[in-house]
Amino acid sequence: MSLQEQRILPAIRKMRDLEKLFKSNYTYIVLLDCHIAQLKSIVDLGKANGKKLLLHADLIEGLKNDDYAAEFLCQSIRPAGIISTRGNVITKTKQNGLIAIQRLFLLDSSALDKSYTLLERTKPDFIEVLPGIIPHIITEVKERSGIPIFAGGLIRTVEDVELALGAGATAVTTSNAELWQHYHQ
């Protein structure tokens, strides 16, 4: 699954940021926070502007993050993909043919070991590793899983982005508008 060589995935929390990104050459955009009532119109507006939205299912207000919610998002909302920490949501997303992104919080060695077990079960299209500022862990997860990596969380500088990409990340997710502009395609 290709991101068309997009190295930065702008992650937005506000509609005004999405409107700014409509004028950019970024194709894929991560939607972090949203109310369930706004989802369909936001995704449709994105499609009308040539954008492919990746919805973070865990952060949608008014939506329980379970199999039924995942099925609703896949069948009714139809984003380009779904991001979640929950394995069942990733499995359902893959079954529906959307991009499935397993988000992992790598807090310690135990969390890392549990993540490898989860990845064996869900086999996502991409993994989002948080925090994304630990290059050697990005390299390890990519080598061990064989799944493309997104680095996210605490990415603040161009150097952070370059270190993550240099460690093997396919792309970096960031809500930092200055980084969007710096890497503007």
Side-chain angles (χ1 to χ4, degrees), residues 104-119 130 137 140-141 144:
L104 303 176
F105 290 101
L106 303 180
L107 306 173
D108 57 24
S109 296
S110 176
L112 184 59
D113 290 340
K114 288 177 184 173
S115 294
Y116 289 131
T117 302
L118 177 65
L119 295 171
L130 286 93
I137 297 297
E140 177 186 325
V141 172
R144 187 159 169 190

Side-chain angles (χ1 to χ4, degrees), residues 130-161:
L130 286 93
I133 56 169
I134 311 173
H136 66 280
I137 297 297
I138 293 169
T139 302
E140 177 186 325
V141 172
K142 182 179 179 188
E143 288 175 356
R144 187 159 169 190
S145 70
I147 299 169
I149 304 290
F150 297 159
L154 300 176
I155 303 287
R156 296 179 178 157
T157 66
V158 170
E159 182 182 14
D160 292 339
V161 172

Side-chain angles (χ1 to χ4, degrees), residues 63-74 82 89:
L63 187 70
K64 183 178 179 183
N65 197 6
D66 61 11
D67 287 353
Y68 299 110
E71 192 70 37
F72 167 75
L73 291 173
C74 292
I82 295 177
V89 172

